[in-house]
Every structure is written in structure tokens, then in C-alpha cells.
């Protein structure tokens, strides 16, 4: 049995701000089917400590970047967790990343260095007889692990780093080299130094045995200056060990036939009608002569929804409607609140159950992202027969079959892509959407194709298992 410790800052359903949590929460079950025993190492935020059943303290650390800590094994929602209890780092109210002023907690570098430090110790010493063969680290928050491990492969577990979002580097000023317990001799361009700063992400990109990201197209984009967010050179240097492994979704939680959150569970496109009526009633929307478009998203510039604000009048003119659920940047929240009206329903906030009802009731889901490493909501759209309209970028390229004339002719389309990712092209896509929606036979065919597209974890779980086997030390 291969043993893998997953090292992450979020894990669904215990603590989530985005898709990272879904992936980290889904991998253990998906990989169990491949003979991998995976535990997840998480920071002991208050919401984590409240959610878990602790089974005993297992590892003590007298000084974890400024205070005592211990790792406790715990269970929650069928997951085997290891929780780093370190009140000085994690016991604080509000967002897991941001202080009350809306900025990163000033000690974020130490907070996640603490997570990585404990991961490296578990890798070295094992824990209660459980010795991981591989440390699977996620994003910059897990990326310092190689810095804290012995540098000789074979003397440590294999290390995989998965990039869910290259936009976040985990930077810290050089004055923190000592407090982060980093080797000062590695503060240079071939090490973790990045334009005069410490970059946790760069440390991981250089130190891990294998790098993965969450779609093949994003893997290719990361090698190019336009997509590499300043680290494309490092990615090109490590090209040989990079792979793109597509995310799946939890097919039990996101199953329209059994979903307890939706008004009328269904297993074919015809079954969506009562859910659409219920959604309209819930959101205060009347019947309309065009498609009901939905959005479930963080409201940040990555997601491109500012472009939607500009082209919304054109959608409404064609008889379309919008129902949006999201939260994020204050100006965008306000702009959507201001756009609300008889054909535009806006809910600012985070609401898991409503997100399911939007997917069940919508005709189309809009994902106009400027960049998107993988994206999960377009996959929910496919499963729910809710046609995705997506920017041509990252995982959105890999998961949606565009309704081009050729794809329509052979009857394989599952959604609409627009290129380049601009407001004009989004405008064009929404206009195409309205045309297709009126052609009932074509629309139904697309919905059937979408619902039949595999979106589960099985193939990607196999790919991860293969990767782990490649780098696990021979014991
Ligand atoms: P990202 O991780 O970049 O935000 P993903 O598409 O990978 O994008 O994942 C987003 C996840 O967060 C999905 O599970 C989506 O349903 C969920 N989500 C985003 N915003 C909300 C919200 N306001 N309410 C409920 N769920 C949300
Ligand atoms: C990140 C990306 C998103 C991806 C998710 C899970 O949050 O923005 O595209 O689906 O991670 O990998």
C-alpha cells in the first residue's frame, strides 16, 4: 500500500475558499481505489478544530515559528486528517488567509512555513508508525516542504507539488530568511530567491521531484511568458517533470439524479424544467423568452466577470436572464448589486445549497475567466446539462467541446468557447448561445452530450498513482 501525505491549506468539506479544497478533499477517496492510502495535513484553524474528532496528540514541536505546536490525528467526513494545532499561527477568527483589513495576515509566510515544517518532520520520522512514501504538496502554502527535507532523494519521501494557481507566489521579504529557517546559501536566482524576495512557490518548483498542474492546457500555458506569472522560465527549466492532470468532480455530491438540494432531481435534460421554474421563483425572476444564465464564482479579476457586466444589456435584449451567486472584491460585489433588476438576480455571499439549485435550474453557466487552471463549475454544468460558456483558456479548453459548425455537424458539442477572452468575444458567445437555445433539437443534443461526458476522478486518480509510484523511495 502506497502511503501519501497531502499537504494543503484547505480541504472540503472542513475548510474551503475555492476549488483547491474540493480537489484536496476528493483525492483520498479517488486514490483509495488505486491502492493509495492518503492522509491530509491541515492547519488547525478554528473551523477545522470544530469539525474534527481528534484521536490523540501524536507529534510535539516546542517552537513552530513562534510558539508550541502539536500534530493531532483526526477524522472528519470520512477523511483521515493530521491537524497542526498551533494557536499562535492559526487560532484567529475570519478568513483563513486575510485579516480584518482585507489584506493577507502579515505572518502568512510563517503560518504556512509551519505547515511545511511539520510535513517534512512527518516525512522524516513517520507518525505513529505511519511513514509516507510521498509528500503531495499543494500551491505555495505547501511549497516550502522541499526546503525543510534532506536534499538527497532517497533520504526523504518523494515530493510532488501541484500548482492550482500560479498567481499566488507566497512572497516574503529577504529579512525573513532567518525567521523562516531557510538556508541563507540558497537565497539566489538558482534557489528560492525571486527578484530580491523569498518565493515559497519557486522553492517548491525547484525542489519537488514532480510538478503537476490541474489541466494539460494550463501546464503548457505555464511554460510561456503570457501564462507563467513570472515563473515560466523555471517551468521551462523543469519541463521534463511537469504534467497536467485534469481535476474531476465528486460525482456523488454533484449528481442531479440524487441531489438533495434541488427541487426535482433528474437524469435527463427534460427533467430540468421544474428546477428552472423553482429557481426563477426563488430568485424573483419572471418567465423570459431567452436562456437563463447562471454564475457561481469568486468575484475577482481572474474570473472575468467584469466583462460580463459590460455585455449584460445585450443578453437581456435577447430575452436572456442572469442569476449570479458570488463573493469577492468589494467593487465587483457592488457593481453586480447595482446591475440587479427584473431579469438579473444577484446573491452576494457563499451558499453551497443555492449553488446546486443554480446548476440544476440554469440553461447555461457562464465562466468567462481570463485564466483558469482547471475550473470546476463548468464540470458541474456538464453533469447538470447546464451548457458551459467559457473563455478559451486553461482547463476550460480541455473540458468543453465548442459548438463550432463542425462540432455541431457531427453532434459532439457540449458548450461554447470564446477566443480571445475579451468582452467583445463574450458578447459574440452570448449571442450564439441565444441562437442555439432557440434551436431546440440542437440544444437538446448538446445537453445530452454534456450530461454524458465523463467528469469523475477515475482517470486522473490513476495518473497520480502512477506518478507516486515513479518517485517513491525503495524501502
Ligand atoms: P476557484 O478555485 O478558482 O475559485 P473553481 O471553479 O476551481 O475555481 O472552484 C470554485 C469552487 O467554489 C466550486 O466548487 C464552486 O461551486 C465554489 N463556489 C465559488 N463561489 C461560491 C459561492 N459564492 N457559493 C457557493 N460555492 C461557491
Ligand atoms: C484553483 C484554480 C481553479 C482550479 C482549482 C482546483 O483555485 O483557480 O481553476 O479548478 O484551483 O484545482
Amino acid at each position: 500500500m502506497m502511503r501519501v501525505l497531502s499537504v494543503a491549506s484547505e480541504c472540503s468539506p472542513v475548510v474551503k475558499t475555492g476549488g483547491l479544497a474540493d480537489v484536496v478533499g476528493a483525492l483520498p477517496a479517488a486514490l483509495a481505489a488505486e491502492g493509495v492510502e492518503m492522509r491530509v495535513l491541515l492547519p488547525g484553524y478554528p473551523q477545522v478544530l470544530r469539525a474534527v474528532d481528534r484521536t490523540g496528540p501524536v507529534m510535539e514541536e516546542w517552537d513552530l515559528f513562534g510558539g508550541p505546536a502539536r500534530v493531532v490525528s483526526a477524522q472528519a467526513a470520512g477523511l483521515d486528517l493530521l491537524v497542526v494545532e498551533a494557536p499562535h499561527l492559526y487560532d484567529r477568527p475570519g478568513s483563513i488567509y486575510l485579516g480584518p483589513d482585507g489584506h493577507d495576515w502579515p505572518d502568512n509566510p510563517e503560518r504556512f512555513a509551519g505547515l511545511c515544517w511539520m510535513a517534512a518532520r512527518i516525512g522524516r520520522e513517520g507518525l505513529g508508525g505511519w511513514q509516507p512514501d510521498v509528500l503531495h504538496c499543494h500551491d505555495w502554502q505547501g511549497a516550502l516542504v522541499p526546503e525543510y527535507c534532506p536534499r538527497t532523494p532517497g533520504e526523504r519521501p518523494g515530493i510532488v507539488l501541484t500548482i492550482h494557481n500560479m498567481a499566488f507566489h507566497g512572497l516574503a521579504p529577504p529579512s525573513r530568511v532567518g525567521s523562516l529557517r531557510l538556508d541563507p546559501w540558497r537565497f539566489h536566482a538558482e534557489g528560492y530567491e525571486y527578484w530580491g524576495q523569498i518565493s515559497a512557490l519557486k522553492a517548491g518548483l525547484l525542489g519537488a521531484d514532480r510538478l503537476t498542474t490541474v489541466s494539460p492546457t494550463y501546464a503548457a500555458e505555464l511554460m510561456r511568458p503570457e501564462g507563467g506569472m513570472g515563473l515560466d522560465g523555471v517551468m521551462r527549466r523543469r519541463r521534463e517533470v511537469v504534467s497536467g492532470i485534469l481535476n474531476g468532480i465528486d460525482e456523488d455530491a454533484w449528481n442531479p439524479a440524487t441531489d438533495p438540494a434541488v427541487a426535482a432531481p433528474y437524469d435527463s435534460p427534460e427533467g430540468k424544467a421544474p428546477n428552472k421554474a423553482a429557481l426563477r421563483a426563488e430568485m424573483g425572476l419572471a418567465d423570459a423568452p431567452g436562456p437563463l444564465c447562471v454564475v457561481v464564482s469568486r468575484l475577482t479579476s481572474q474570473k472575468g466577470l467584469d466583462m460580463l457586466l459590460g455585455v449584460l444589456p445585450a443578453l437581456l435584449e435577447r430575452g436572456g436572464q442572469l442569476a449570479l451567486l458570488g463573493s469577492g472584491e468589494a467593487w465587483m460585489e457592488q457593481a453586480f448589486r447595482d446591475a440587479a433588476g427584473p431579469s438579473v438576480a444577484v446573491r452576494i455571499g457563499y451558499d453551497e445549497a443555492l449553488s446546486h439549485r443554480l446548476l440544476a435550474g440554469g440553461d447555461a453557466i457562464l465562466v468567462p475567466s481570463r485564466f483558469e487552471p482547471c475550473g470546476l463549475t463548468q464540470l458541474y454544468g456538464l453533469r447538470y446539462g447546464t451548457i458551459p460558456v467559457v473563455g478559451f483558456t486553461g482547463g476550460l479548453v480541455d473540458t468543453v467541446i465548442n459548438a463550432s459548425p463542425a462540432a455541431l455537424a457531427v453532434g459532439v458539442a457540449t458548450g461554447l468557447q470564446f477566443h480571445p477572452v475579451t468582452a467583445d468575444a463574450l458578447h459574440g458567445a452570448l449571442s450564439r448561445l441565444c441562437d442555439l437555445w432557440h434551436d431546440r433539437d440542437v440544444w437538446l443534443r448538446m445537453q445530452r452530450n454534456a450530461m454524458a461526458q465523463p467528469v469523475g476522478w477515475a482517470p486522473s486518480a490513476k495518473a497520480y498513482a502512477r506518478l507516486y509510484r515513479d518517485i517513491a523511495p525503495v524501502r
Side-chain angles (χ1 to χ4, degrees):
M1 192 77 153
M2 173 81 61
R3 291 171 168 180
V4 179
L5 182 67
S6 183
V7 183
S9 56
E10 330 184 352
C11 176
S12 204
V14 182
V15 54
K16 164 168 170 176
T17 74
L20 166 65
D22 292 292
V23 173
V24 172
L27 282 178
L31 281 156
E34 298 300 322
V36 173
E37 184 187 333
M38 180 177 269
R39 297 188 182 177
V40 183
L41 184 71
L42 274 182
Y45 317 113
Q47 55 269 59
V48 171
L49 299 183
R50 275 196 303 273
V52 301
D53 292 322
R54 275 165 272 186
T55 47
V58 288
M59 186 183 266
E60 306 271 351
E61 178 82 21
W62 296 114
D63 177 14
L64 187 66
F65 302 100
R70 58 182 192 170
V71 177
V72 178
S73 60
Q75 255 85 44
L79 296 163
D80 283 322
L81 303 176
L82 297 170
V83 177
V84 184
E85 291 189 357
H88 62 293
L89 299 177
Y90 309 127
D91 184 13
R92 46 189 89 172
S95 155
I96 57 174
Y97 303 125
L98 310 175
D101 59 359
H103 296 297
D104 284 2
W105 293 109
D107 59 346
N108 271 355
E110 286 76 13
R111 294 175 73 225
F112 297 106
L115 180 73
C116 295
W117 184 271
M118 295 315 295
R121 256 196 75 186
I122 297 167
R124 222 167 30 240
E125 300 166 27
L127 191 150
W130 192 84
Q131 180 86 39
D133 302 296
V134 172
L135 302 173
H136 185 166
C137 313
H138 298 272
D139 272 351
W140 78 263
Q141 292 91 349
L144 281 180
V145 166
E147 291 298 318
Y148 300 142
C149 285
R151 303 214 71 79
T152 336
E155 285 178 24
R156 56 157 172 79
I159 301 177
V160 180
L161 174 67
T162 294
I163 306 151
H164 296 263
N165 196 332
M166 193 70 131
F168 304 104
H169 288 195
L171 296 178
S175 55
R176 306 270 269 274
V177 167
S179 69
L180 290 170
R181 301 181 193 164
L182 294 169
D183 175 355
W185 294 102
R186 294 182 38 73
F187 185 75
H188 55 71
E190 305 294 307
Y192 58 76
E193 184 262 358
Y194 180 80
W195 297 103
Q197 305 243 78
I198 298 164
S199 166
L201 185 57
K202 188 180 171 199
L205 296 179
L206 289 172
D209 301 306
R210 292 286 186 281
L211 303 175
T212 75
T213 187
V214 288
S215 69
T217 295
Y218 194 58
E221 288 171 353
L222 288 178
M223 311 259 179
R224 296 197 287 265
E226 315 85 83
M229 305 265 179
L231 287 166
D232 48 290
V234 178
M235 292 300 289
R236 284 195 298 277
R237 186 155 14 128
R238 302 229 60 208
R239 176 184 294 278
E240 297 298 311
V241 301
V242 176
S243 53
I245 302 179
L246 206 57
N247 287 336
I249 62 171
D250 180 333
E251 292 174 296
D252 295 326
W254 290 94
N255 180 353
T258 57
D259 192 332
V262 310
Y266 61 98
D267 58 9
S268 71
E270 291 81 0
K272 285 177 70 73
N275 292 297
K276 185 169 172 180
L279 180 64
R280 279 198 168 125
E282 177 177 1
M283 302 295 274
L285 294 168
D287 281 353
L292 171 55
C293 298
V294 300
V295 169
V296 178
S297 185
R298 292 188 289 120
L299 302 178
T300 67
S301 77
Q302 174 188 341
K303 301 295 177 180
L305 291 162
D306 46 307
M307 294 187 280
L308 177 61
L309 282 165
V311 301
L312 203 46
L315 174 68
L316 305 187
E317 229 163 76
R318 295 284 311 265
Q321 293 175 317
L322 176 71
L324 172 139
L325 167 65
S327 62
E329 290 169 18
W331 77 268
M332 220 188 292
E333 293 185 350
Q334 193 52 47
F336 274 106
R337 278 198 191 98
D338 293 345
S343 295
V344 180
V346 173
R347 295 284 183 280
I348 300 300
Y350 189 92
D351 187 336
E352 192 78 35
L354 177 58
S355 73
H356 285 243
R357 292 195 293 277
L358 285 162
L359 265 304
D363 291 309
I365 180 158
L366 310 183
V367 193
S369 305
R370 293 194 164 84
F371 70 95
E372 196 61 78
C374 180
L376 299 177
T377 59
Q378 84 281 10
L379 300 177
Y380 305 154
L382 293 170
R383 189 107 208 270
Y384 280 62
T386 307
I387 297 303
V389 180
V390 305
F392 188 83
T393 184
L396 304 174
V397 174
D398 298 328
T399 52
V400 172
I401 302 173
N402 182 37
S404 64
L408 288 172
V410 287
V412 296
T414 60
L416 284 83
Q417 294 172 331
F418 59 94
H419 177 76
V421 184
T422 59
D424 274 353
L426 172 60
H427 183 181
L430 292 177
S431 157
R432 275 199 293 146
L433 175 77
C434 292
D435 294 341
L436 290 168
W437 183 82
H438 281 290
D439 191 335
R440 299 317 291 172
D441 289 344
V442 171
W443 186 260
L444 198 59
R445 180 73 191 262
M446 278 175 63
Q447 286 182 306
R448 290 219 175 92
N449 293 344
M451 292 180 79
Q453 185 168 317
V455 287
W457 270 106
S460 298
K462 278 199 175 14
Y464 279 118
R466 212 174 303 129
L467 206 69
Y468 299 152
R469 282 195 293 272
D470 283 351
I471 59 168
V474 183
R475 292 192 203 279

